[in-house]
Amino acid sequence: MQTIALWIACVLSLGVCALHVWLGGREAARPLLDSELRSIPKYTNYYAWHMVTIVIAAMGAAFAYAALIPNGRDVGIAALCLSVAFTMWSLALVLWKYRRPMLLPQWLLFLAVSVAGAFGLM
């Protein structure tokens, strides 16, 4: 059962990554690149957007590693910590900026990854 939960966390992470690339590319990255921001802030943010893509994909790979390798638990724990941190930051941002929770639904996506990962690592 734990291995199944880790695979679910892997698939969810990769799904979040795909949404990040597809929707985030259209809704965040493209408008950023089309903006009138100066080059350094524009491309620093664009670089950070790609770093997030890489981290989310690596989380999926880490959960897969933890599911496949008997001694891979530590890698799964690292992915879980990232997912929980992303969940908490998303919620903090929603509360801080007084947004409706579903305007920035990232917290919900990372919460699902976190729950599956936690079950898999129990």
Side-chain angles (χ1 to χ4, degrees), residues 38-101:
R38 291 173 297 145
S39 291
I40 290 176
K42 178 187 295 192
Y43 292 109
T44 299
N45 280 286
Y46 190 57
Y47 177 75
W49 186 83
H50 279 83
M51 287 174 47
V52 171
T53 306
I54 292 165
V55 170
I56 299 169
M59 284 171 38
F63 284 124
Y65 184 86
L68 289 170
I69 306 300
N71 294 332
R73 180 177 167 78
D74 289 347
V75 175
I77 290 170
L80 176 61
C81 288
L82 287 169
S83 184
V84 168
F86 286 172
T87 303
M88 299 306 289
W89 172 238
S90 296
L91 282 171
L93 187 59
V94 166
L95 295 173
W96 175 38
K97 292 298 182 178
Y98 305 105
R99 305 278 189 219
R100 293 188 317 238

Side-chain angles (χ1 to χ4, degrees), residues 13-51:
S13 293
L14 296 177
V16 170
C17 187
L19 282 172
H20 172 76
V21 170
W22 178 54
L23 290 177
R26 186 180 72 207
E27 299 294 323
R30 177 52 41 203
L32 173 67
L33 292 176
D34 292 342
S35 75
E36 297 297 321
L37 279 175
R38 291 173 297 145
S39 291
I40 290 176
K42 178 187 295 192
Y43 292 109
T44 299
N45 280 286
Y46 190 57
Y47 177 75
W49 186 83
H50 279 83
M51 287 174 47

